[in-house]
Amino acid sequence: MANKPYIYVTRKIPESVISRLKNFAEVGMWNREETPIPRDILLNEAKIADALLTMLSEKVDTELFEVSTNLKVVANLAVGFDNIDVEEATKRKIVVCNTPDVLTDTTADLAFSLLLMTGRRLVEAVDVVRNGEWKSWSPYFLAGSDIHHKTLGIVGMGSIGEAVAKRALGFDMQVLYHNRNRKPETETKLGVEYASFDKLIKQSDYVLVLTPLTKETKGMFTKDVFKKMKKSAFFINVARGPIAVESDLIWALKEGEIAGAGLDVFDQEPINQDHPLLHLDNVVALPHIGSASVETRTAMMKLCCDNILAVLNNEKPKTPVNKELFQKI
Ligand code: NAP
């Protein structure tokens, strides 16, 4: 249809969500829910699209921008945008949007659940019952580590970090945090304590990572860092896999440098079934489900649609990443 913008959605999402887009534009969609779009099809669609609604699994890079002559906006269904070359998009005046805030509490619920599962050995316990291995009671049978009155160290005290801190305080935990910028208001409001990275690593019983993946945070957790953690401490990563050097994490878990790990994210996703991390009893592994509640995923999709419609109507979107593009609007 002449002159209607073209929006391409890179994964199957419900008709009820995209119907709003259809009132305004031609909409194309990769019609699979589980399988990511092949690269060649994505590039072909990008050639003609005015807007892309993308998932974390798509690399939105210079190669894609080179072929996209009409592209005005990329709305990513995530708060993280490490799959997108934002600098390159900004140079080309292409708006990049993410989905902050709507997923904060859901992701915090998952992060705290993972901490509980890891500390209290809940996955092992479920397996023991399921496999008929529950034969008797004994004093240290499946004894884990306490959560209450322990110290939680949050590296990356942003929206999700603060929401996890609230949950932890309800469990009588002491909360330390580390950011590049101190947050005095948060300290007063929540009663959390700022710590250097080194102090946090050494003093925490649970170290929870919630920074974005950036050049600065990539490889932040190395052998040296794991060595400094308490041997009884747990490493919980709900941010992005490459923030820890995976081989160093495996080493720390095998050598007993740390007590265990709870991981929602990995270097390669989906993780291969024969990956060494999946063969360690002291690892709880989840398939990147931080924001995966029906309510929140639907809210994220709606926010992506709002952002796309705003940009295509020459309005400021709700949640742009490259805000500098709107300084004069
Ligand atoms: P946010 O509000 O932007 O918070 C990120 C925090 O990280 C900020 O407080 C920032 O503070 C801190 N930070 C950034 N670089 C840092 C560094 N080099 N060292 C220490 N702290 C640093 O983001 P959010 O909404 O809480 O989300 C955080 C991340 O969680 C996302 O980027 C995403 O990767 C991940 N996530 C994962 C899932 C999942 O499904 N597993 C779901 C949602 C989000 P300063 O700028 O002061 O350093």
Side-chain angles (χ1 to χ4, degrees), residues 79-80 103 107 156-160 178-181 210-212 216-217 220 238-240 264-265 288 290-291:
V79 65
L103 49 59
T107 310
M157 185 67 133
S159 306
I160 302 170
H178 177 74
N179 267 4
R180 290 166 305 175
N181 305 292
L210 276 169
T211 64
E216 222 180 315
T217 60
M220 198 180 203
V238 181
R240 290 289 182 267
D264 187 41
V265 287
H288 200 148
S291 63

Side-chain angles (χ1 to χ4, degrees), residues 7 20-21 24 51 72-73 75 95 97 302-320 326 329:
I7 302 170
R20 233 164 18 111
L21 298 177
F24 177 78
K72 295 164 191 71
V73 53
V95 184
C97 299
K302 285 184 176 157
L303 179 53
C304 286
C305 293
D306 290 345
N307 283 329
I308 288 175
L309 291 174
V311 175
L312 295 183
N313 282 304
N314 292 319
E315 289 163 12
K316 185 176 174 182
K318 288 182 176 167
T319 54
F326 296 93
I329 288 183

Side-chain angles (χ1 to χ4, degrees), residues 134-154:
W134 181 21
K135 301 293 181 201
S136 69
W137 184 93
S138 67
Y140 286 119
F141 177 53
L142 284 166
S145 295
D146 275 333
I147 313 293
H148 65 88
H149 299 100
K150 292 288 180 89
T151 299
L152 168 64
I154 301 177

Side-chain angles (χ1 to χ4, degrees), residues 34-297:
E34 306 286 340
T35 320
I37 184 169
R39 180 76 179 169
D40 56 331
I41 298 179
L42 173 64
L43 290 179
N44 266 336
E45 294 292 347
K47 272 183 201 161
I48 51 167
D50 294 277
L52 290 174
L53 196 166
T54 52
M55 313 293 130
L56 278 180
S57 42
E58 277 80 69
K59 238 185 168 16
V60 181
D61 54 7
T62 308
E63 185 193 21
L64 183 145
F65 293 134
E66 282 292 330
V67 298
S68 332
T69 44
N70 297 334
L71 192 60
K72 295 164 191 71
V73 53
V74 178
N76 207 36
L77 193 86
V79 65
F81 43 82
D82 43 281
N83 58 315
I84 301 177
D85 187 338
V86 178
E87 213 179 299
E88 194 57 41
T90 309
K91 269 192 220 156
R92 295 163 189 265
K93 301 207 169 4
I94 296 168
V95 184
V96 175
C97 299
N98 64 345
T99 61
D101 307 327
V102 291
L103 49 59
T104 294
D105 281 315
T106 301
T107 310
D109 284 346
L110 187 280
F112 202 74
S113 306
L114 182 55
L115 186 154
L116 293 168
M117 287 167 80
T118 310
R120 291 297 303 270
R121 303 175 60 186
L122 298 184
V123 174
E124 282 176 82
V126 170
D127 285 348
V128 160
V129 178
R130 281 226 169 115
N131 299 336
E133 292 161 6
W134 181 21
K135 301 293 181 201
S136 69
W137 184 93
S138 67
Y140 286 119
F141 177 53
L142 284 166
S145 295
D146 275 333
I147 313 293
H148 65 88
H149 299 100
K150 292 288 180 89
T151 299
L152 168 64
I154 301 177
V155 181
M157 185 67 133
S159 306
I160 302 170
E162 286 194 21
V164 175
K166 285 186 202 156
R167 285 150 178 78
L169 294 165
F171 276 68
D172 291 324
M173 295 184 91
Q174 187 202 347
V175 180
L176 302 177
Y177 80 95
H178 177 74
N179 267 4
R180 290 166 305 175
N181 305 292
R182 203 168 160 166
K183 298 173 90 176
E185 275 178 30
T186 301
E187 289 170 33
T188 314
K189 190 176 67 186
L190 297 181
V192 296
E193 188 188 323
Y194 182 80
S196 67
F197 183 68
D198 216 48
K199 179 177 168 187
L200 181 147
I201 292 304
K202 286 178 181 160
Q203 293 193 357
S204 300
D205 299 299
Y206 295 87
V207 173
L208 169 63
V209 192
L210 276 169
T211 64
L213 172 62
T214 61
K215 282 179 196 148
E216 222 180 315
T217 60
K218 189 172 183 204
M220 198 180 203
F221 287 83
T222 57
K223 269 189 187 180
D224 281 348
V225 174
F226 290 123
K227 263 194 218 168
K228 284 182 190 166
M229 283 173 63
K230 295 179 185 178
K231 289 198 188 316
S232 57
F234 295 87
F235 175 75
I236 314 289
N237 190 356
V238 181
R240 290 289 182 267
I243 296 171
V245 178
E246 214 164 64
S247 53
D248 289 2
L249 173 61
I250 294 167
W251 170 86
L253 288 161
K254 282 187 174 165
E255 295 299 315
E257 289 293 336
I258 61 173
L263 307 168
D264 187 41
V265 287
F266 303 89
D267 274 3
Q268 285 297 321
E269 296 181 4
I271 190 169
N272 202 308
Q273 213 190 340
D274 51 27
H275 193 288
L277 277 172
L278 304 188
H279 296 278
L280 296 171
D281 286 341
N282 53 353
V283 171
V284 175
L286 299 178
H288 200 148
I289 53 164
S291 63
S293 73
V294 174
E295 297 91 330
T296 291
R297 285 286 163 83

